Amino acid sequence: MLRDADAIQGVSLWQDAWRRLRRNWVAMGSLTFLILLSVAAVLTPIFPLQSPVEQHLRDRSFAAPNRQSVQLGLSGLDEEQRSIAIKTLWNDPSAFDEALIRTRLAIFGDWAVPSLCGSDHLGRDMLSRLFWGARVSLIVGVVATFVSLIIGVSYGAISGFAGGHIDDAMMRVVDILYSIPFIFIVIFVVMVISEPTIKGPLESFGINRLVAFYFLIGAIYWLTMARVVRGQIISLKNEQFVDAARTIGADSARIVFVHLVPNVLGVVIVYLTLTIPSVMLFEAFLSFLGIGVEEPNVSWGLLANEGLKVITPIRIYWWLIVFPALALASTLYSLNFLGDGLRDALDPRMKNR
C-alpha cells in the first residue's frame, strides 16, 4: 500500500490549471498570439521596416498598400553621418533600440519591407507605425495594470483583513472615488503636465508626459481590483491556515501578504487579463480625443484618430482605419479569450467538466 501511495504524483493547483488551460485551444491560441505580439513589439527595431517618422509628402502621401521596394538611403555614409541618420529616422532611439537598429542594418542593409499597409497623409509607412504603436499600446496596458495591481491588491487586502470600522472607512473612500468622473481628472492632469513651466522640471527628473500618462491611468483603475481582493480576503481570513499562521507568531502584515494574497492570485490574474483591454481602450479613447499619446510617439489609438481625420465623403482612405482597428481589436479579443480560459482553468468547480 505504501509503495502504491509513493507512486502517486500530486498535482498542484497551478499545474492542474495549466493542464486544463492547454486543452482550451481558443485560450492557447490567444496566449500564443499575445506572446508573439509582445516579442515583435520588443524587437521591432530589428525588423527590416521603414522609418516610422520619415515623411514623403510628394510621392507617397495617402499611398495605398503596395509592394514597391524601398531603400533607406544609409549606404555610403560614414559612422558619424549614420549615427545622425539613425537618430533622425527613428526619433532619437534609446541605447537598446539603437543597438537593434544597427543589427538590422548589418543584416538587411538599406532594404526595407514595402508599404504593405499603405502610408498616411504625411507619407509615413503605416506598417512600421503599427509595429512601433504596438509598443506604446502594450506598455500602457501592462504598466497601468501593474500600477493598479499594486495599489488595488494592497488596499483591498488590508481593508478586508482589518474589518470593522477600518474596512468601512476604506471602502467609503473607494465609493467616493467611484463617483468622480475620472475622464475630467485625466484631462486636467494631462493639460497641467503639458504646461511648459511644469513640463521642464518633470523632464529633468526623467518624467515626461508619456510616463506620467502610464501611471495616471493605472492610478484610476485600482478601485474594482480593491473590491475584488477585499471580498476574497474576507472569505479566507477565518480559515484554519490563517489561525495556524497566528499560532506560530506571524504578524498581520505577514498573514496578509504571505498567506492570504497568494491564495487570491487566481482571481487577480483573471481580472488582470480583463483590465489590460480596458486600459488599452481607455488609452485609445484619449489618444482618439487628442489628449493621450502625442507625436512623435505613436499608438494604435493615435493612428485610428489620424485615419478618422482624413476620411471625407469624397475619398475614404480605408487602410488608415482598418489596420489600426484590426490590430487593436485582435489584441483585445485575445486578452478577453485568454481571461475566459484562465477563469475556467482556475475554477475548481470546472475541474471535471
Side-chain angles (χ1 to χ4, degrees), residues 55-85:
Q55 302 178 8
H56 301 272
L57 291 172
R58 289 186 176 181
D59 53 342
R60 291 170 53 188
S61 180
F62 293 122
N66 60 81
R67 297 183 180 179
Q68 296 178 359
S69 60
V70 178
Q71 299 292 325
L72 295 179
L74 297 181
S75 61
L77 300 179
D78 57 32
E79 182 58 31
E80 182 178 357
Q81 292 173 333
R82 176 167 291 214
S83 298
I84 296 174

PDB file of all heavy atoms in Angstrom, residues 55-85:
ATOM      1  N   GLN A  55       8.987  61.396 -43.455  1.00  0.00           N
ATOM      2  CA  GLN A  55       7.870  61.865 -44.266  1.00  0.00           C
ATOM      3  C   GLN A  55       8.241  61.900 -45.745  1.00  0.00           C
ATOM      4  O   GLN A  55       9.364  62.252 -46.100  1.00  0.00           O
ATOM      5  CB  GLN A  55       7.433  63.258 -43.805  1.00  0.00           C
ATOM      6  CG  GLN A  55       7.015  63.317 -42.340  1.00  0.00           C
ATOM      7  CD  GLN A  55       6.642  64.717 -41.899  1.00  0.00           C
ATOM      8  OE1 GLN A  55       6.541  65.640 -42.708  1.00  0.00           O
ATOM      9  NE2 GLN A  55       6.417  64.884 -40.605  1.00  0.00           N
ATOM     10  N   HIS A  56       7.254  61.523 -46.574  1.00  0.00           N
ATOM     11  CA  HIS A  56       7.416  61.588 -48.037  1.00  0.00           C
ATOM     12  C   HIS A  56       6.157  62.249 -48.610  1.00  0.00           C
ATOM     13  O   HIS A  56       5.269  61.584 -49.137  1.00  0.00           O
ATOM     14  CB  HIS A  56       7.600  60.187 -48.625  1.00  0.00           C
ATOM     15  CG  HIS A  56       8.788  59.453 -48.084  1.00  0.00           C
ATOM     16  ND1 HIS A  56      10.046  59.564 -48.637  1.00  0.00           N
ATOM     17  CD2 HIS A  56       8.920  58.624 -47.026  1.00  0.00           C
ATOM     18  CE1 HIS A  56      10.897  58.815 -47.961  1.00  0.00           C
ATOM     19  NE2 HIS A  56      10.240  58.228 -46.973  1.00  0.00           N
ATOM     20  N   LEU A  57       6.090  63.555 -48.468  1.00  0.00           N
ATOM     21  CA  LEU A  57       4.869  64.272 -48.838  1.00  0.00           C
ATOM     22  C   LEU A  57       4.608  64.256 -50.336  1.00  0.00           C
ATOM     23  O   LEU A  57       3.444  64.202 -50.765  1.00  0.00           O
ATOM     24  CB  LEU A  57       4.959  65.723 -48.343  1.00  0.00           C
ATOM     25  CG  LEU A  57       4.911  65.910 -46.815  1.00  0.00           C
ATOM     26  CD1 LEU A  57       5.199  67.348 -46.439  1.00  0.00           C
ATOM     27  CD2 LEU A  57       3.550  65.495 -46.283  1.00  0.00           C
ATOM     28  N   ARG A  58       5.634  64.296 -51.135  1.00  0.00           N
ATOM     29  CA  ARG A  58       5.432  64.448 -52.574  1.00  0.00           C
ATOM     30  C   ARG A  58       4.964  63.166 -53.251  1.00  0.00           C
ATOM     31  O   ARG A  58       3.982  63.153 -53.974  1.00  0.00           O
ATOM     32  CB  ARG A  58       6.723  64.928 -53.228  1.00  0.00           C
ATOM     33  CG  ARG A  58       7.075  66.364 -52.891  1.00  0.00           C
ATOM     34  CD  ARG A  58       8.287  66.817 -53.702  1.00  0.00           C
ATOM     35  NE  ARG A  58       8.597  68.225 -53.466  1.00  0.00           N
ATOM     36  CZ  ARG A  58       9.590  68.871 -54.068  1.00  0.00           C
ATOM     37  NH1 ARG A  58      10.376  68.220 -54.936  1.00  0.00           N
ATOM     38  NH2 ARG A  58       9.812  70.141 -53.798  1.00  0.00           N
ATOM     39  N   ASP A  59       5.663  62.066 -52.977  1.00  0.00           N
ATOM     40  CA  ASP A  59       5.425  60.868 -53.780  1.00  0.00           C
ATOM     41  C   ASP A  59       4.668  59.761 -53.060  1.00  0.00           C
ATOM     42  O   ASP A  59       4.205  58.820 -53.694  1.00  0.00           O
ATOM     43  CB  ASP A  59       6.761  60.297 -54.275  1.00  0.00           C
ATOM     44  CG  ASP A  59       7.747  60.075 -53.146  1.00  0.00           C
ATOM     45  OD1 ASP A  59       7.552  60.647 -52.069  1.00  0.00           O
ATOM     46  OD2 ASP A  59       8.712  59.309 -53.343  1.00  0.00           O
ATOM     47  N   ARG A  60       4.493  59.858 -51.716  1.00  0.00           N
ATOM     48  CA  ARG A  60       3.860  58.746 -51.014  1.00  0.00           C
ATOM     49  C   ARG A  60       2.744  59.168 -50.082  1.00  0.00           C
ATOM     50  O   ARG A  60       2.292  58.384 -49.259  1.00  0.00           O
ATOM     51  CB  ARG A  60       4.920  57.970 -50.229  1.00  0.00           C
ATOM     52  CG  ARG A  60       5.877  57.210 -51.137  1.00  0.00           C
ATOM     53  CD  ARG A  60       7.061  56.662 -50.369  1.00  0.00           C
ATOM     54  NE  ARG A  60       6.658  55.867 -49.220  1.00  0.00           N
ATOM     55  CZ  ARG A  60       7.519  55.408 -48.304  1.00  0.00           C
ATOM     56  NH1 ARG A  60       8.800  55.677 -48.426  1.00  0.00           N
ATOM     57  NH2 ARG A  60       7.086  54.684 -47.310  1.00  0.00           N
ATOM     58  N   SER A  61       2.276  60.399 -50.172  1.00  0.00           N
ATOM     59  CA  SER A  61       1.171  60.839 -49.331  1.00  0.00           C
ATOM     60  C   SER A  61      -0.112  60.109 -49.724  1.00  0.00           C
ATOM     61  O   SER A  61      -0.494  60.090 -50.891  1.00  0.00           O
ATOM     62  CB  SER A  61       0.982  62.353 -49.463  1.00  0.00           C
ATOM     63  OG  SER A  61      -0.086  62.787 -48.655  1.00  0.00           O
ATOM     64  N   PHE A  62      -0.772  59.483 -48.744  1.00  0.00           N
ATOM     65  CA  PHE A  62      -2.002  58.705 -48.963  1.00  0.00           C
ATOM     66  C   PHE A  62      -1.795  57.579 -49.977  1.00  0.00           C
ATOM     67  O   PHE A  62      -2.715  57.226 -50.708  1.00  0.00           O
ATOM     68  CB  PHE A  62      -3.154  59.599 -49.415  1.00  0.00           C
ATOM     69  CG  PHE A  62      -3.623  60.562 -48.369  1.00  0.00           C
ATOM     70  CD1 PHE A  62      -3.607  61.936 -48.614  1.00  0.00           C
ATOM     71  CD2 PHE A  62      -4.057  60.119 -47.138  1.00  0.00           C
ATOM     72  CE1 PHE A  62      -4.033  62.836 -47.645  1.00  0.00           C
ATOM     73  CE2 PHE A  62      -4.498  61.015 -46.169  1.00  0.00           C
ATOM     74  CZ  PHE A  62      -4.482  62.374 -46.420  1.00  0.00           C
ATOM     75  N   ALA A  63      -0.616  57.006 -50.003  1.00  0.00           N
ATOM     76  CA  ALA A  63      -0.355  55.906 -50.931  1.00  0.00           C
ATOM     77  C   ALA A  63      -1.058  54.651 -50.440  1.00  0.00           C
ATOM     78  O   ALA A  63      -0.998  54.298 -49.258  1.00  0.00           O
ATOM     79  CB  ALA A  63       1.147  55.656 -51.049  1.00  0.00           C
ATOM     80  N   ALA A  64      -1.749  53.960 -51.338  1.00  0.00           N
ATOM     81  CA  ALA A  64      -2.445  52.726 -50.997  1.00  0.00           C
ATOM     82  C   ALA A  64      -1.430  51.608 -50.756  1.00  0.00           C
ATOM     83  O   ALA A  64      -0.259  51.727 -51.135  1.00  0.00           O
ATOM     84  CB  ALA A  64      -3.401  52.350 -52.121  1.00  0.00           C
ATOM     85  N   PRO A  65      -1.841  50.523 -50.109  1.00  0.00           N
ATOM     86  CA  PRO A  65      -0.920  49.394 -49.927  1.00  0.00           C
ATOM     87  C   PRO A  65      -0.318  48.935 -51.246  1.00  0.00           C
ATOM     88  O   PRO A  65      -1.023  48.784 -52.246  1.00  0.00           O
ATOM     89  CB  PRO A  65      -1.828  48.316 -49.311  1.00  0.00           C
ATOM     90  CG  PRO A  65      -2.898  49.087 -48.606  1.00  0.00           C
ATOM     91  CD  PRO A  65      -3.139  50.302 -49.449  1.00  0.00           C
ATOM     92  N   ASN A  66       0.997  48.716 -51.257  1.00  0.00           N
ATOM     93  CA  ASN A  66       1.690  48.336 -52.484  1.00  0.00           C
ATOM     94  C   ASN A  66       2.904  47.493 -52.142  1.00  0.00           C
ATOM     95  O   ASN A  66       3.235  47.299 -50.968  1.00  0.00           O
ATOM     96  CB  ASN A  66       2.125  49.586 -53.268  1.00  0.00           C
ATOM     97  CG  ASN A  66       3.059  50.466 -52.469  1.00  0.00           C
ATOM     98  OD1 ASN A  66       4.266  50.218 -52.386  1.00  0.00           O
ATOM     99  ND2 ASN A  66       2.509  51.521 -51.843  1.00  0.00           N
ATOM    100  N   ARG A  67       3.553  46.987 -53.188  1.00  0.00           N
ATOM    101  CA  ARG A  67       4.720  46.122 -52.998  1.00  0.00           C
ATOM    102  C   ARG A  67       5.972  46.710 -53.642  1.00  0.00           C
ATOM    103  O   ARG A  67       6.896  45.986 -53.988  1.00  0.00           O
ATOM    104  CB  ARG A  67       4.446  44.735 -53.586  1.00  0.00           C
ATOM    105  CG  ARG A  67       3.300  44.005 -52.901  1.00  0.00           C
ATOM    106  CD  ARG A  67       3.119  42.611 -53.488  1.00  0.00           C
ATOM    107  NE  ARG A  67       2.029  41.910 -52.844  1.00  0.00           N
ATOM    108  CZ  ARG A  67       1.633  40.678 -53.166  1.00  0.00           C
ATOM    109  NH1 ARG A  67       2.287  40.029 -54.134  1.00  0.00           N
ATOM    110  NH2 ARG A  67       0.634  40.112 -52.534  1.00  0.00           N
ATOM    111  N   GLN A  68       6.014  48.007 -53.787  1.00  0.00           N
ATOM    112  CA  GLN A  68       7.193  48.648 -54.365  1.00  0.00           C
ATOM    113  C   GLN A  68       8.349  48.606 -53.368  1.00  0.00           C
ATOM    114  O   GLN A  68       8.184  48.919 -52.183  1.00  0.00           O
ATOM    115  CB  GLN A  68       6.876  50.098 -54.725  1.00  0.00           C
ATOM    116  CG  GLN A  68       5.810  50.239 -55.805  1.00  0.00           C
ATOM    117  CD  GLN A  68       5.498  51.690 -56.103  1.00  0.00           C
ATOM    118  OE1 GLN A  68       6.053  52.599 -55.498  1.00  0.00           O
ATOM    119  NE2 GLN A  68       4.586  51.912 -57.036  1.00  0.00           N
ATOM    120  N   SER A  69       9.518  48.206 -53.848  1.00  0.00           N
ATOM    121  CA  SER A  69      10.694  48.097 -52.983  1.00  0.00           C
ATOM    122  C   SER A  69      11.108  49.477 -52.461  1.00  0.00           C
ATOM    123  O   SER A  69      10.935  50.494 -53.133  1.00  0.00           O
ATOM    124  CB  SER A  69      11.854  47.458 -53.737  1.00  0.00           C
ATOM    125  OG  SER A  69      12.202  48.256 -54.866  1.00  0.00           O
ATOM    126  N   VAL A  70      11.650  49.481 -51.248  1.00  0.00           N
ATOM    127  CA  VAL A  70      12.020  50.730 -50.578  1.00  0.00           C
ATOM    128  C   VAL A  70      13.457  50.612 -50.077  1.00  0.00           C
ATOM    129  O   VAL A  70      13.876  49.558 -49.582  1.00  0.00           O
ATOM    130  CB  VAL A  70      11.071  51.027 -49.404  1.00  0.00           C
ATOM    131  CG1 VAL A  70      11.494  52.298 -48.690  1.00  0.00           C
ATOM    132  CG2 VAL A  70       9.638  51.140 -49.896  1.00  0.00           C
ATOM    133  N   GLN A  71      14.201  51.685 -50.202  1.00  0.00           N
ATOM    134  CA  GLN A  71      15.574  51.754 -49.696  1.00  0.00           C
ATOM    135  C   GLN A  71      15.666  52.878 -48.667  1.00  0.00           C
ATOM    136  O   GLN A  71      15.058  53.938 -48.833  1.00  0.00           O
ATOM    137  CB  GLN A  71      16.563  52.016 -50.835  1.00  0.00           C
ATOM    138  CG  GLN A  71      16.579  50.951 -51.917  1.00  0.00           C
ATOM    139  CD  GLN A  71      17.131  49.632 -51.430  1.00  0.00           C
ATOM    140  OE1 GLN A  71      18.046  49.610 -50.598  1.00  0.00           O
ATOM    141  NE2 GLN A  71      16.602  48.528 -51.945  1.00  0.00           N
ATOM    142  N   LEU A  72      16.409  52.639 -47.594  1.00  0.00           N
ATOM    143  CA  LEU A  72      16.551  53.645 -46.547  1.00  0.00           C
ATOM    144  C   LEU A  72      17.519  54.759 -46.927  1.00  0.00           C
ATOM    145  O   LEU A  72      17.426  55.861 -46.396  1.00  0.00           O
ATOM    146  CB  LEU A  72      17.029  52.980 -45.248  1.00  0.00           C
ATOM    147  CG  LEU A  72      16.062  51.988 -44.594  1.00  0.00           C
ATOM    148  CD1 LEU A  72      16.687  51.390 -43.344  1.00  0.00           C
ATOM    149  CD2 LEU A  72      14.749  52.674 -44.243  1.00  0.00           C
ATOM    150  N   GLY A  73      18.462  54.484 -47.803  1.00  0.00           N
ATOM    151  CA  GLY A  73      19.415  55.504 -48.217  1.00  0.00           C
ATOM    152  C   GLY A  73      20.525  55.755 -47.224  1.00  0.00           C
ATOM    153  O   GLY A  73      21.037  56.883 -47.129  1.00  0.00           O
ATOM    154  N   LEU A  74      20.928  54.716 -46.466  1.00  0.00           N
ATOM    155  CA  LEU A  74      22.007  54.876 -45.486  1.00  0.00           C
ATOM    156  C   LEU A  74      23.335  54.317 -45.972  1.00  0.00           C
ATOM    157  O   LEU A  74      24.338  54.436 -45.269  1.00  0.00           O
ATOM    158  CB  LEU A  74      21.624  54.179 -44.168  1.00  0.00           C
ATOM    159  CG  LEU A  74      20.396  54.719 -43.439  1.00  0.00           C
ATOM    160  CD1 LEU A  74      20.166  53.946 -42.155  1.00  0.00           C
ATOM    161  CD2 LEU A  74      20.536  56.193 -43.148  1.00  0.00           C
ATOM    162  N   SER A  75      23.330  53.706 -47.158  1.00  0.00           N
ATOM    163  CA  SER A  75      24.582  53.138 -47.657  1.00  0.00           C
ATOM    164  C   SER A  75      25.537  54.265 -48.069  1.00  0.00           C
ATOM    165  O   SER A  75      25.126  55.313 -48.566  1.00  0.00           O
ATOM    166  CB  SER A  75      24.300  52.229 -48.854  1.00  0.00           C
ATOM    167  OG  SER A  75      23.691  52.965 -49.909  1.00  0.00           O
ATOM    168  N   GLY A  76      26.822  54.049 -47.850  1.00  0.00           N
ATOM    169  CA  GLY A  76      27.832  55.031 -48.227  1.00  0.00           C
ATOM    170  C   GLY A  76      28.065  56.117 -47.206  1.00  0.00           C
ATOM    171  O   GLY A  76      28.875  57.017 -47.442  1.00  0.00           O
ATOM    172  N   LEU A  77      27.373  56.066 -46.060  1.00  0.00           N
ATOM    173  CA  LEU A  77      27.558  57.084 -45.028  1.00  0.00           C
ATOM    174  C   LEU A  77      28.656  56.648 -44.065  1.00  0.00           C
ATOM    175  O   LEU A  77      28.807  55.457 -43.761  1.00  0.00           O
ATOM    176  CB  LEU A  77      26.256  57.304 -44.253  1.00  0.00           C
ATOM    177  CG  LEU A  77      25.036  57.782 -45.048  1.00  0.00           C
ATOM    178  CD1 LEU A  77      23.842  57.929 -44.117  1.00  0.00           C
ATOM    179  CD2 LEU A  77      25.321  59.094 -45.755  1.00  0.00           C
ATOM    180  N   ASP A  78      29.442  57.625 -43.565  1.00  0.00           N
ATOM    181  CA  ASP A  78      30.421  57.285 -42.549  1.00  0.00           C
ATOM    182  C   ASP A  78      29.723  57.113 -41.204  1.00  0.00           C
ATOM    183  O   ASP A  78      28.508  57.288 -41.089  1.00  0.00           O
ATOM    184  CB  ASP A  78      31.517  58.348 -42.476  1.00  0.00           C
ATOM    185  CG  ASP A  78      30.964  59.745 -42.193  1.00  0.00           C
ATOM    186  OD1 ASP A  78      29.930  59.841 -41.486  1.00  0.00           O
ATOM    187  OD2 ASP A  78      31.547  60.730 -42.674  1.00  0.00           O
ATOM    188  N   GLU A  79      30.484  56.776 -40.164  1.00  0.00           N
ATOM    189  CA  GLU A  79      29.883  56.434 -38.876  1.00  0.00           C
ATOM    190  C   GLU A  79      29.143  57.623 -38.261  1.00  0.00           C
ATOM    191  O   GLU A  79      28.046  57.468 -37.705  1.00  0.00           O
ATOM    192  CB  GLU A  79      30.978  55.954 -37.915  1.00  0.00           C
ATOM    193  CG  GLU A  79      30.456  55.515 -36.556  1.00  0.00           C
ATOM    194  CD  GLU A  79      29.430  54.409 -36.636  1.00  0.00           C
ATOM    195  OE1 GLU A  79      29.506  53.586 -37.580  1.00  0.00           O
ATOM    196  OE2 GLU A  79      28.526  54.368 -35.778  1.00  0.00           O
ATOM    197  N   GLU A  80      29.710  58.815 -38.365  1.00  0.00           N
ATOM    198  CA  GLU A  80      29.045  59.986 -37.774  1.00  0.00           C
ATOM    199  C   GLU A  80      27.750  60.305 -38.501  1.00  0.00           C
ATOM    200  O   GLU A  80      26.716  60.577 -37.870  1.00  0.00           O
ATOM    201  CB  GLU A  80      29.991  61.187 -37.832  1.00  0.00           C
ATOM    202  CG  GLU A  80      29.410  62.449 -37.183  1.00  0.00           C
ATOM    203  CD  GLU A  80      30.383  63.609 -37.215  1.00  0.00           C
ATOM    204  OE1 GLU A  80      31.524  63.417 -37.679  1.00  0.00           O
ATOM    205  OE2 GLU A  80      29.986  64.709 -36.772  1.00  0.00           O
ATOM    206  N   GLN A  81      27.789  60.261 -39.827  1.00  0.00           N
ATOM    207  CA  GLN A  81      26.581  60.523 -40.605  1.00  0.00           C
ATOM    208  C   GLN A  81      25.521  59.456 -40.357  1.00  0.00           C
ATOM    209  O   GLN A  81      24.326  59.759 -40.284  1.00  0.00           O
ATOM    210  CB  GLN A  81      26.931  60.581 -42.099  1.00  0.00           C
ATOM    211  CG  GLN A  81      27.775  61.778 -42.495  1.00  0.00           C
ATOM    212  CD  GLN A  81      28.230  61.710 -43.941  1.00  0.00           C
ATOM    213  OE1 GLN A  81      28.362  60.630 -44.523  1.00  0.00           O
ATOM    214  NE2 GLN A  81      28.484  62.877 -44.536  1.00  0.00           N
ATOM    215  N   ARG A  82      25.965  58.206 -40.197  1.00  0.00           N
ATOM    216  CA  ARG A  82      25.000  57.133 -39.938  1.00  0.00           C
ATOM    217  C   ARG A  82      24.337  57.309 -38.578  1.00  0.00           C
ATOM    218  O   ARG A  82      23.130  57.084 -38.430  1.00  0.00           O
ATOM    219  CB  ARG A  82      25.701  55.788 -40.025  1.00  0.00           C
ATOM    220  CG  ARG A  82      24.818  54.610 -39.669  1.00  0.00           C
ATOM    221  CD  ARG A  82      25.444  53.296 -40.053  1.00  0.00           C
ATOM    222  NE  ARG A  82      25.493  53.134 -41.495  1.00  0.00           N
ATOM    223  CZ  ARG A  82      25.358  51.964 -42.119  1.00  0.00           C
ATOM    224  NH1 ARG A  82      25.133  50.877 -41.416  1.00  0.00           N
ATOM    225  NH2 ARG A  82      25.430  51.886 -43.418  1.00  0.00           N
ATOM    226  N   SER A  83      25.097  57.714 -37.586  1.00  0.00           N
ATOM    227  CA  SER A  83      24.525  57.936 -36.254  1.00  0.00           C
ATOM    228  C   SER A  83      23.479  59.040 -36.291  1.00  0.00           C
ATOM    229  O   SER A  83      22.402  58.928 -35.681  1.00  0.00           O
ATOM    230  CB  SER A  83      25.628  58.285 -35.255  1.00  0.00           C
ATOM    231  OG  SER A  83      26.552  57.230 -35.133  1.00  0.00           O
ATOM    232  N   ILE A  84      23.784  60.117 -37.015  1.00  0.00           N
ATOM    233  CA  ILE A  84      22.824  61.212 -37.145  1.00  0.00           C
ATOM    234  C   ILE A  84      21.569  60.741 -37.884  1.00  0.00           C
ATOM    235  O   ILE A  84      20.430  61.075 -37.503  1.00  0.00           O
ATOM    236  CB  ILE A  84      23.472  62.417 -37.862  1.00  0.00           C
ATOM    237  CG1 ILE A  84      24.620  62.987 -37.021  1.00  0.00           C
ATOM    238  CG2 ILE A  84      22.427  63.495 -38.153  1.00  0.00           C
ATOM    239  CD1 ILE A  84      25.391  64.076 -37.715  1.00  0.00           C
ATOM    240  N   ALA A  85      21.763  59.944 -38.945  1.00  0.00           N
ATOM    241  CA  ALA A  85      20.630  59.447 -39.721  1.00  0.00           C
ATOM    242  C   ALA A  85      19.746  58.520 -38.882  1.00  0.00           C
ATOM    243  O   ALA A  85      18.513  58.567 -38.973  1.00  0.00           O
ATOM    244  CB  ALA A  85      21.121  58.723 -40.970  1.00  0.00           C
TER     245      ALA A  85
END
